[in-house]
Amino acid sequence: MPGRVRLTLTSRGLAPTGSATGTDEVLAGLRALADPEVRVDIDVAARRGGRSRHLHVWQAVGTGRVATLATCDGRHYELDTLPRAAWGAELARLAELELPLDPGLVVAEGAVARTPGRVELPLELLLATATDRTRRPELLVELTRLGAGTVLVDGRPATDAGALVTALHVEARGRLEARVRGTTSAPHRPVGRAVWLHYPDGWRRLSTYQRHGVAGVRFAAVDPSDLSTEVTRLVEAVGG
């Protein structure tokens, strides 16, 4: 398909915006999305100056081409097909956010920005500190005290675990989640997921691990181009 086609959701379904040209290409792209070899769903949510924005993208990954359908509002859509070789650049484009900072937040002073290394902490601690941070700050202090030595930066105990754990929650400005599923061996069942959080100085990949029987969460800095590597690995896992 030559270029992107803009579509609008009508009472009869999706229709080309402003022109009926390209109907065959539109139908071909929608058919690919309805019955893909491998399906990739990507959600990108971001807070911009107090306002939230959300992008949802459906991708049908075939042997040689990828069909994509994207919307920000559920009414206006963009449909495109591209060679499989160009798919990586398209994935990176989805992760290239430029988010203005909220007033009063300076990147150089943020605890996450001051911690460029790999951050690891128990999942239980991360979940416990996600609640009542503003109403009960003393709870956070006590929880991080009890977890002293379990919040690690590049394998070493964090110097200020409380500030870092708080920052992991409050400094996040965006979230990206990619879900990959096959439609033949495991129809309609997610087989892989990539989750990233966006901070003022860039993206962090979230992943889980087990250490001495304790579930943990790892935050590792990534570049938008890394999304292609991660999603491609998940697609290959289902034979795409």
Side-chain angles (χ1 to χ4, degrees):
M1 185 186 303
R4 299 171 188 256
V5 176
R6 295 184 182 275
L7 306 172
T8 300
L9 183 63
T10 70
S11 60
R12 296 185 178 182
L14 291 172
T17 301
S19 173
T21 60
T23 301
D24 291 343
E25 291 86 350
V26 169
L27 289 176
L30 293 177
R31 288 193 190 101
L33 287 159
D35 187 25
E37 296 178 29
V38 177
R39 176 172 170 172
V40 180
D41 293 342
I42 301 176
D43 285 286
V44 184
R47 297 200 303 270
R48 295 174 181 265
R51 299 181 61 186
S52 296
R53 293 179 59 86
H54 180 239
L55 171 67
H56 188 84
V57 182
W58 297 267
Q59 297 185 331
V61 182
T63 303
R65 299 189 70 79
V66 177
T68 74
L69 183 68
T71 182
C72 288
D73 59 11
R75 184 168 181 268
H76 301 93
Y77 293 78
E78 282 190 350
L79 177 68
D80 195 9
T81 63
L82 58 152
R84 182 78 175 260
W87 180 43
E90 176 67 11
L91 288 170
R93 187 181 70 86
L94 296 176
E96 290 174 349
L97 293 180
E98 293 183 3
L99 301 177
L101 302 181
D102 286 352
L105 178 63
V106 179
V107 173
E109 296 179 355
V112 174
R114 295 199 309 269
T115 311
R118 183 183 68 253
V119 178
E120 297 174 333
L121 70 160
L123 175 61
E124 184 176 301
L125 177 59
L126 183 68
L127 295 177
T129 54
T131 60
D132 291 331
R133 292 191 307 273
T134 56
R135 289 183 294 172
R136 299 187 60 189
E138 73 281 359
L139 177 61
L140 175 60
V141 173
E142 181 63 14
L143 286 170
T144 51
R145 184 188 68 80
L146 293 173
T150 64
V151 181
L152 307 177
V153 178
D154 289 336
R156 298 182 179 182
T159 56
D160 191 344
L164 181 54
V165 173
T166 299
L168 290 173
H169 291 296
V170 303
E171 292 183 11
R173 294 295 177 266
R175 186 177 189 273
L176 183 152
E177 180 176 354
R179 298 175 298 279
V180 179
R181 69 183 72 178
T183 58
T184 54
S185 60
H188 310 303
R189 297 183 59 187
V191 297
R193 186 173 69 155
V195 179
W196 291 12
L197 289 181
H198 193 273
Y199 291 92
D201 66 331
W203 287 104
R204 299 288 193 284
R205 176 196 294 118
L206 272 68
S207 58
T208 58
Y209 64 91
Q210 289 279 336
R211 181 175 293 137
H212 307 304
V214 177
V217 180
R218 179 178 295 114
F219 293 75
V222 287
D223 185 81
S225 62
D226 293 328
L227 186 62
S228 173
T229 301
E230 189 162 2
V231 173
T232 298
R233 175 178 54 80
L234 295 175
V235 167
E236 290 174 349
V238 298

